Amino acid sequence: MATRARGRPAQCAVTDEDLLDAVLQSFGEYGYEGTSVREIARRLEVSHNLIPQRFGSKENLWYAAVDHGFGRLRKDLNREAETLGSDELLILRGLVSSFIKINARHPSLLQIINQEACQPGPRLDYVFDRYIKPVRDFGEAWLTRLADEGRIRPVSVSLFYFLMTHGAGGMLAMPALTKRLDKGGKPQSRRSIQKEALSAVEVFFDGLLPR
C-alpha cells in the first residue's frame, strides 16, 4: 500500500469548514488586501495549491468565507430563538444578547463588515444585499410594531443596527483598541469582553423602554 511521503501535508484531513474558518479569521484580521492565501495554507500545513483547487480565486474565497460565517451565525441565532418563548420584546432582547455572545466567539464577521463598510464596492454590496438588508427590513417592521404597541420608544432601525453591531460589537471587532481603553492595559479575555458587551445591551434596552 502506498504511503504518504514524509513531511507532506495531510490535505484530505482538512475539511472545507476548517479552511473557511481560517480564511474568515485571516480576512477579519488583515483585510482583503492583507490576506495571503499562501500564508493561510502554510498555517494549516497544507499545499499552497489546495485552497485555490477547492475555492478558485482569492475573490471567490472571500465570498465563500463570508457565506460560511453568516450561515453559522444564522444557524446559531435560530437555535437560540427556539428557547426565547413568544413575547416579541423578550425575543428581540434575547437575540441581540445572543448576537453578542456568538460574535464574541467568532468576531471575524464584524471585523470584515467594519473594513468593507468604509467605502463602496462589490464586497460591501454583496454583504449588504445578501445579509444586512433582509435583517434591516425585518427589524424595521419588528421595531415599528413594538413602538406602535407602546412597548418601546420609536427608534431608527439604522441606529439600532449600529448600536448592536458597532457599539456593543465594537469591543469584539476592535480588540487592539479595546485593550488600549482598558485601564489596566492588559488584554481582556473573550469572556470579560462578552460580559461588557452584554452590559451595553442592557443599557441599550433600558433606553428603549417607554418613560
Side-chain angles (χ1 to χ4, degrees):
M1 182 171 62
T3 59
R4 179 169 54 88
R6 179 177 299 178
R8 184 180 177 186
Q11 297 181 13
C12 295
V14 180
T15 66
D16 283 356
E17 184 173 2
D18 293 332
L19 284 173
L20 291 175
D21 280 342
V23 169
L24 196 67
Q25 183 178 354
S26 184
F27 280 126
E29 290 181 358
Y30 305 114
Y32 184 82
E33 299 299 334
T35 291
S36 165
V37 176
R38 184 179 290 271
E39 178 61 21
I40 295 171
R42 188 192 66 78
R43 291 205 309 266
L44 290 173
E45 298 183 340
V46 299
S47 165
H48 68 272
N49 292 321
L50 177 64
I51 298 177
Q53 285 172 354
R54 291 193 185 181
F55 297 101
S57 67
K58 180 178 175 180
E59 182 180 19
N60 288 342
L61 184 63
W62 185 91
Y63 290 118
V66 167
D67 287 343
H68 168 69
F70 274 105
R72 177 172 56 198
L73 175 61
R74 180 183 296 162
K75 184 186 301 182
D76 289 346
L77 285 175
N78 286 340
R79 185 164 50 244
E80 292 284 337
E82 294 174 357
T83 69
L84 296 176
S86 57
D87 184 281
E88 283 201 322
L89 182 56
L90 294 181
I91 292 173
L92 182 61
R93 182 172 187 145
L95 286 178
V96 173
S97 297
S98 296
F99 176 88
I100 300 300
K101 289 187 289 185
I102 293 166
N103 280 284
R105 298 194 299 268
H106 308 288
S108 300
L109 278 180
L110 290 179
Q111 293 172 328
I112 289 172
I113 291 172
N114 281 345
Q115 295 158 3
E116 300 300 337
C118 291
Q119 56 186 357
R123 293 191 296 273
L124 175 59
D125 292 343
Y126 184 83
V127 170
F128 182 82
D129 293 339
R130 193 175 182 90
Y131 298 110
I132 297 177
K133 185 178 184 297
V135 173
R136 191 273 309 271
D137 294 344
F138 182 76
E140 186 171 36
W142 199 342
L143 293 172
T144 299
R145 187 163 58 249
L146 287 172
D148 288 344
E149 293 171 359
R151 303 197 65 192
I152 64 171
R153 299 160 63 184
V155 61
S156 159
V157 68
S158 298
L159 176 61
F160 189 97
Y161 174 84
F162 278 110
L163 288 175
M164 179 179 70
T165 58
H166 306 292
M171 288 183 286
L172 311 175
M174 305 176 212
L177 179 57
T178 301
K179 177 182 176 181
R180 294 292 296 271
L181 287 171
D182 182 55
K183 290 182 180 179
K186 299 179 180 179
Q188 293 180 300
S189 67
R190 184 163 293 179
R191 182 180 296 275
S192 67
I193 293 175
Q194 175 181 304
K195 183 178 179 181
E196 289 190 22
L198 292 179
S199 296
V201 172
E202 292 179 1
V203 172
F204 176 35
F205 269 88
D206 288 342
L208 275 178
L209 298 179
R211 295 179 180 176

